[in-house]
Amino acid sequence: MDFLPVFMQLNGRDCLVVGGGEVASRKAALLIDAGATVHVRAPELSNSLQDCLDEGRIQHRNGPFEEADVNGMTLVIAATDNAKVNAAVHAAATAGHIPVNVVDAPDLCTFIMPSIVDRSPVIAAVSTGGSSPVLARMIRSRLETMLPSAYGRLAKMTADFRDKVKDRFDKPADRRLFWEHILQGSVAEMVFAGRDEEAVKVIEKTLASPDAVQRDMGEVYLIGGGPGDPDLLTFRALRLMQQADVVVHDRLVSKEVLDLSRRDAERIYVGKERSNHAVPQEDINQLLVRLAKEGKRVCRLKGGDPFIFGRGGEEIDTLAEEGIPFQVVPGITAAAGASSYTGIPLTHRDYSQSVVFATGHLKDGSINLNWQALAQPNQTVVFYMGLVGLSTICEKLIEHGMPADTPIALVQKATTPEQRLFTGDLASMPDVVERENIKAPTLIIVGNVVKLHDRLNWYDESAYWAVAKD
Ligand code: SAH
């Protein structure tokens, strides 16, 4: 180990930053965050340092560095682009046995600054001993995705209970067990989901009778798995997917997304083919209830966003009725995915001031929609589940006043390597669909924004095809 990691208490202590540029400004900001009294020595200040000065967050020593500047300092950082000045700062600080860091000059450092993930009071620090700052930053960004932003609140909450837990359990091993139970179980999840009060109550209850609450009631995470590309999952979705005991998934969830759930989790498929309901909705609702009552953490994984044509509302309604804890994690809905990955913005100041999401699902051969409202100018209409009813949709829109040459796009398997885009107008599109071998799921976008595809498209699914063929 070349360096010993330590965390320094700088609250209220004097620290010196030599240099007035952007790098100096970043270092000063960190010291300010740590509560230090920051003195900046520089003949000139960058805009951000000037702002700090105006806000009274730093003290400015105008003019060039002087040896005496280091007197009384707890820590010194040199961030100038002048090697001579940096060396002088180093010499003065080391003469006074004051820790010193010279930016980009490892030989002149008696301490180095790690890349950090700040979830105060939780701090994760990564250092490569100065050998590869880029690698340190990459590791840091991986940690960023693993540490929920609410870790800090969770840590503060446990601090509030430390004394009580000490009073309650004499043996350190018992205390450790208690905290493991709290931090790995539903309490932590409650804090991450912003339900702090509830979490405090559970901690209190567990403290009062630790044996009685050995087995938690399970919980259901209703998670939006996005349109297909696994990169589009949220951090929260990924984290919950990786801790769930059971995954209940739909046909629309891509294999790549599903593969990100915990390896040893049980998987239950409840997919619905069109007009062939594999598992009736009511049975799915009851399945979730049963699994949660068995104490399992259940990931109910749905395509896109659970609250957009996802029947997510019905599923959690049953859970709410049964008093089962649940949380909902939003996902990228197919409209957003298809729009981005085809370069068709859903709104645009020149073409469309509003966007409507509608279902084109046929019930008894008719689509029950307010066509008048959908056929408005300067509006984008997105149809989910519209492939089978496409010709009716085009017909009805024209009938209600939309010009027959209004552009329309049909996006197959958006955001996946099998994405394909078909464009045309309301009059011609039904023929296109008849001619082509189109695979579900597809999304339909109607409106002048479709024209933007030619200029704004950036996604080239053929690149993936080339890789797949190799
Ligand atoms: N909750 C989902 C929608 C479920 S309804 C969401 O928010 O996206 C099912 C319909 O979604 C499909 O018929 C299709 O119209 C659309 N859809 C879902 N994923 C899609 C994808 N990758 N590409 C195109 N359309 C998709």
Side-chain angles (χ1 to χ4, degrees), residues 206-265:
T206 315
L207 260 181
S209 52
D211 300 331
V213 260
Q214 271 313 308
R215 236 173 91 88
D216 277 339
M217 163 80 97
E219 180 169 11
V220 177
Y221 317 131
L222 178 60
I223 298 179
D229 184 346
D231 266 12
L232 297 178
L233 282 174
T234 62
F235 294 151
R236 182 174 294 184
L238 184 62
R239 186 169 49 74
L240 293 178
M241 282 165 68
Q242 289 187 345
Q243 74 178 28
D245 307 301
V246 195
V247 183
V248 180
H249 61 102
D250 269 5
R251 183 172 58 97
L252 271 181
V253 175
S254 74
K255 181 178 174 304
E256 289 75 14
V257 169
L258 191 61
D259 281 348
L260 291 174
S261 46
R262 214 175 81 196
R263 290 265 161 242
D264 57 345

Side-chain angles (χ1 to χ4, degrees), residues 34-61:
T37 303
V38 181
H39 306 264
V40 176
R41 167 58 94 179
E44 262 178 283
L45 294 182
S46 70
N47 288 344
S48 48
L49 279 172
Q50 186 61 48
D51 289 347
C52 284
L53 181 63
D54 296 344
E55 290 160 13
R57 283 144 55 85
I58 58 167
Q59 307 199 4
H60 185 202
R61 297 183 178 182

Side-chain angles (χ1 to χ4, degrees), residues 395-408:
E395 218 171 84
K396 289 277 183 195
L397 288 174
I398 295 173
E399 204 179 297
H400 287 80
M402 237 191 210
D405 64 354
T406 305
I408 171 170

Side-chain angles (χ1 to χ4, degrees), residues 226-228 251-252 302-311 331-335 338 383-387 411-416 440-444:
R251 183 172 58 97
L252 271 181
K302 304 192 77 98
D305 182 272
F307 278 2
I308 296 182
F309 303 123
R311 305 184 83 166
I332 303 277
T333 190
F383 289 95
Y384 287 70
M385 298 170 276
L387 182 61
V411 193
Q412 163 188 302
K413 296 199 171 189
T415 79
T416 75
T442 60
L443 195 86
I444 297 164

Side-chain angles (χ1 to χ4, degrees), residues 345-400:
L346 296 178
T347 64
H348 188 287
R349 281 199 296 179
D350 297 337
Y351 301 103
S352 166
Q353 280 71 51
S354 62
V355 53
V356 179
F357 293 172
T359 167
H361 188 61
L362 289 169
K363 232 181 188 173
D364 313 329
S366 67
I367 313 176
N368 203 4
L369 288 171
N370 181 349
W371 294 107
Q372 203 61 54
L374 296 181
Q376 296 303 311
N378 302 322
Q379 174 170 272
T380 307
V381 189
V382 179
F383 289 95
Y384 287 70
M385 298 170 276
L387 182 61
V388 174
L390 183 100
S391 51
T392 314
I393 289 171
C394 293
E395 218 171 84
K396 289 277 183 195
L397 288 174
I398 295 173
E399 204 179 297
H400 287 80

